[in-house]
């Protein structure tokens, strides 16, 4: 068994699995502005215990939350869109692959049509009908529910591959304040395992990760080929573009299998 398979336990994990509580856009609905935001917030359900809420932006973009009616998590919306969110587990090949620099094929949507009185969630090529929650019940639900930040801990940062089909996935912290928190996973497709590696270097030229004993090392270079070092043996790695391979990373490699991304497509 090679050394790379010995180190198969998580290295860089958040100290808590709990999402951080946040205040919803309408606050406690104590003043006129907050009350109006609460009234304008659309609450939709699929009738199976799943809800999403969409609040029009007062001083910024709209805000989307998803949950079970008691607890909601924030869903980051795409730039230039008030209804689209990144959802690489579901792909719609008919959508624009380069809309202002974004590949819309890996974005899904919530659909709110007040005039028609209908809601829906589109996950890739599939659209699931939702329905509006009546205004008074919706406000009661929103005021009694709790709201939290998105539960995602890591996002893909770099993907490398050797000539034998072994992948090296580097992820960084999901939240901006944790973007220097890294995790490294290694293995064949479908069986990548997190490694006990520490981040030694992180700068504009790349990153260097190593085991505590230093017998394994991953060098991610921005300008030169990246390398995997096992004791004194060096293996050159091929860079695989992350943005072009999000469905592969989220659906086929393994680290995101069964992981909830906190989007309306988690239960679809």
């Amino acid at each position: 068994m090679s050394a790379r398979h010995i180190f198969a336990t998580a290295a860089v994990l958040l100290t808590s699995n709990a999402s951080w509580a946040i205040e919803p856009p309408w606050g406690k609905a104590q003043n006129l502005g907050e009350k109006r935001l609460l009234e304008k917030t659309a609450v939709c359900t699929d009738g199976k215990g799943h809800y999403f809420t969409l609040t029009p932006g007062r001083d910024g973009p709209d805000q989307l939350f998803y949950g079970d009616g008691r607890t909601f998590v924030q869903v980051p919306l795409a730039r230039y869109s008030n209804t689209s969110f990144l959802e690489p587990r579901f792909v719609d090949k008919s959508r624009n692959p380069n809309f202002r620099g974004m590949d819309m094929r890996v974005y899904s949507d919530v659909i709110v049509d007040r005039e028609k009185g209908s809601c829906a969630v589109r996950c890739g090529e599939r659209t699931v009908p939702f329905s509006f929650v009546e205004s008074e019940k919706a406000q009661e639900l929103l005021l009694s529910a709790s709201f939290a930040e998105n539960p995602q801990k890591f996002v893909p940062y770099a993907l490398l591959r050797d000539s034998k089909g072994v992948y090296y996935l580097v992820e960084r912290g999901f939240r901006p304040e944790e973007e220097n928190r890294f995790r490294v996973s290694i293995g064949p497709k479908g069986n990548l395992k997190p490694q006990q590696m520490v981040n030694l270097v992180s700068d504009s030229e790349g990153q260097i990760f190593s085991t505590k004993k230093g017998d394994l090392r991953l060098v991610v270079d921005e300008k030169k080929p990246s390398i995997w070092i096992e004791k004194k043996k060096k293996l050159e790695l091929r860079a695989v573009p992350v943005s072009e391979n999000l469905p592969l990373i989220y659906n086929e490699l393994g680290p995101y299998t069964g992981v909830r991304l906190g989007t309306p497509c988690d239960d679809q």
Side-chain angles (χ1 to χ4, degrees):
M1 179 181 293
S2 70
R4 74 172 60 126
H5 297 297
I6 297 175
F7 296 91
T9 55
V12 186
L13 298 175
L14 298 183
T15 57
S16 171
N17 288 327
S19 297
W20 297 347
I22 59 175
E23 189 172 83
W26 52 87
K28 294 180 171 44
Q30 293 179 333
N31 59 49
L32 183 59
E34 290 178 344
K35 289 179 180 179
R36 285 181 175 174
L37 273 182
L38 181 64
E39 293 171 355
K40 291 180 179 178
T41 297
V43 180
C44 299
T45 180
D46 63 356
K48 300 177 182 178
H50 308 126
Y51 297 79
F52 75 80
T53 76
L54 186 64
T55 305
R58 181 168 60 177
D59 300 314
D62 290 5
Q63 293 194 48
L64 175 65
F65 289 87
Y66 177 69
D68 61 6
R70 299 179 299 276
T71 303
F72 289 84
V73 296
Q74 191 167 31
V75 184
L77 289 170
R79 290 175 297 155
Y80 316 118
S81 173
N82 291 327
T83 60
S84 299
F85 51 90
L86 180 65
E87 187 39 275
R89 297 171 298 181
F90 297 85
V91 179
D92 185 348
K93 296 180 181 179
S94 67
R95 304 199 82 194
N96 191 342
N98 187 10
F99 174 71
R100 297 182 177 180
M102 297 186 300
D103 184 353
M104 299 308 296
R105 295 174 297 183
V106 292
Y107 281 83
S108 292
D109 301 278
V110 293
I111 303 166
V112 176
D113 192 326
R114 292 185 181 275
E115 292 185 1
K116 293 182 179 179
S118 63
C119 305
V121 171
R122 183 189 63 79
C123 300
E125 298 177 346
R126 189 162 72 97
T127 299
V128 180
F130 274 54
S131 59
F132 276 104
V133 176
E134 187 270 326
S135 179
E136 186 174 339
K137 290 183 179 180
Q139 292 183 38
E140 290 177 2
L141 180 148
L142 294 174
L143 290 174
S144 62
S146 60
F147 293 81
E149 291 187 350
N150 190 277
Q152 294 183 68
K153 300 296 186 291
F154 293 96
V155 291
Y157 173 71
L159 181 62
L160 310 162
R161 175 174 53 78
D162 67 17
S163 59
K164 295 182 179 180
V166 175
Y167 284 92
Y168 300 71
L169 174 66
V170 180
E171 301 162 278
R172 72 187 318 163
F174 176 78
R175 297 182 177 89
E177 65 271 20
E178 294 175 339
E179 63 180 12
N180 288 324
R181 184 187 296 269
F182 293 94
R183 180 172 70 175
V184 176
S185 298
I186 300 173
K189 184 187 294 187
N191 197 31
L192 270 71
K193 302 294 185 182
Q195 307 293 304
Q196 286 186 328
M197 305 189 79
V198 294
N199 179 218
L200 301 179
V201 174
S202 181
D203 55 31
S204 62
E205 300 302 304
Q207 289 76 33
I208 298 176
F209 304 91
S210 176
T211 56
K212 290 183 178 180
K213 292 183 179 180
D215 50 358
L216 299 176
R217 184 170 292 197
L218 176 64
V219 181
V220 181
D221 201 294
E222 295 291 335
K223 298 178 181 178
K224 301 178 182 179
S226 297
I227 55 174
W228 171 253
I229 304 172
E230 193 166 324
K231 295 183 178 179
K232 294 183 180 181
K233 183 179 179 181
K234 294 184 178 181
L235 178 65
E236 188 172 305
L237 303 176
R238 183 183 184 87
V240 181
V242 167
S243 61
E244 298 173 22
N245 290 277
L246 288 175
L248 168 71
I249 294 170
Y250 279 87
N251 292 323
E252 299 183 49
L253 293 190
Y256 292 96
T257 301
V259 175
R260 294 179 68 84
L261 302 185
T263 80
C265 295
D266 273 346
D267 301 295
Q268 305 304 325

